[in-house]
Amino acid sequence: MEDSMKISTLTFIAFYFNSAIDTGRYDDLSIEEVRWEIRFGTIFDFLAKKLDTDIDLSILDPEAKVELLAEWQDMETAIPAGKKFGVENHGLPLLMAYLLEGIQRRARALS
């Protein structure tokens, strides 16, 4: 059941991203800015500061953050976001796409 918990955790974070996207307050957050924060391993601190009360990352323990960061770093370098996810402009939709990709990977591993 470990993978089910990971999927539910990713889904929980995705709901926060979706809500933040819906506010329109983060439309200025570029895909390049998010990719840079992922590359340098600062994405979670960045998100906590940038989204403030619009996100709660306390569900992610340090090990989960390490795992998710490594996964996002892999996706950032290996996957052309525009081609695979249809995301070319805004940072939060990129993170949403990464979460959905992570959910798909875990679901495939369970089947």
Side-chain angles (χ1 to χ4, degrees):
M1 286 292 130
E2 177 78 344
D3 285 326
S4 296
M5 179 51 127
K6 290 179 183 176
I7 289 172
S8 66
T9 299
L10 294 176
T11 305
F12 182 83
I13 300 299
F15 285 134
Y16 272 114
F17 285 156
N18 200 40
S19 176
I21 291 166
D22 189 57
T23 69
R25 289 192 294 265
Y26 307 101
D27 289 349
D28 65 331
L29 181 56
S30 73
I31 199 168
E32 292 82 13
E33 189 173 11
V34 166
R35 291 180 73 197
W36 188 92
E37 298 290 343
I38 290 170
R39 273 185 226 126
F40 290 96
T42 55
I43 189 65
F44 295 111
D45 290 337
F46 172 79
L47 290 171
K49 184 177 178 184
K50 179 81 174 174
L51 276 62
D52 194 29
T53 60
D54 286 331
I55 195 163
D56 179 4
L57 297 173
S58 65
I59 193 171
L60 298 174
D61 61 30
E63 294 82 20
K65 286 181 180 179
V66 167
E67 178 182 341
L68 201 50
L69 176 62
E71 186 172 279
W72 290 355
Q73 286 173 331
D74 175 62
M75 290 181 201
E76 193 274 325
T77 58
I79 299 173
K83 186 173 182 177
K84 176 155 176 131
F85 304 133
V87 176
E88 297 179 350
N89 300 301
H90 301 285
L92 287 182
L94 176 67
L95 290 173
M96 178 67 86
Y98 285 173
L99 287 171
L100 292 171
E101 176 68 16
I103 289 167
Q104 284 186 336
R105 289 178 180 186
R106 285 165 178 81
R108 279 192 299 268
L110 290 173
S111 45

